[in-house]
Amino acid sequence: ELDKEGEHERSLTLLAELRRHQPPYVSAFFMAAQQLVRLSRIDEARAVLRDGIEEARRQRNDHAAGEMSELLTQLGNLGE
């Protein structure tokens, strides 16, 4: 909701908090990366995706790891 209302930094801050929970909320990595892509913050999105893939694998969430891997691949060389 915050993203849709243009409150991007607040949204990203809340998603970062969810990623720091124990255990981290895996979907927050994907949502944050998607938002960062929309904001053309590609390098940040890549970093979040890499961390998210690692955490998803740690939690044995192959579906989430696959989704994030796919987005990471789609980003290719954007922003470099």
Side-chain angles (χ1 to χ4, degrees):
E1 282 301 308
L2 292 173
D3 179 32
K4 292 177 187 174
E5 295 172 5
E7 295 194 42
H8 305 294
E9 292 308 315
R10 188 165 166 223
S11 173
L12 290 168
T13 297
L14 291 173
L15 289 170
E17 289 174 14
L18 291 171
R19 294 192 320 261
R20 288 191 295 269
H21 279 187
Q22 291 303 317
Y25 181 56
V26 171
S27 295
F29 290 90
F30 191 52
M31 291 186 286
Q34 288 174 313
Q35 186 174 351
L36 288 164
V37 168
R38 286 192 296 276
L39 296 170
S40 298
R41 292 164 58 176
I42 306 301
D43 290 337
E44 289 174 77
R46 278 194 192 97
V48 170
L49 286 167
R50 288 184 185 110
D51 290 345
I53 292 165
E54 185 178 316
E55 183 57 41
R57 289 180 177 152
R58 200 174 5 261
Q59 293 185 28
R60 300 179 192 259
N61 187 337
D62 295 333
H63 178 75
E67 283 185 330
M68 287 186 277
S69 294
E70 185 177 319
L71 179 55
L72 186 58
T73 299
Q74 288 174 359
L75 293 178
N77 295 325
L78 285 176
E80 292 184 354

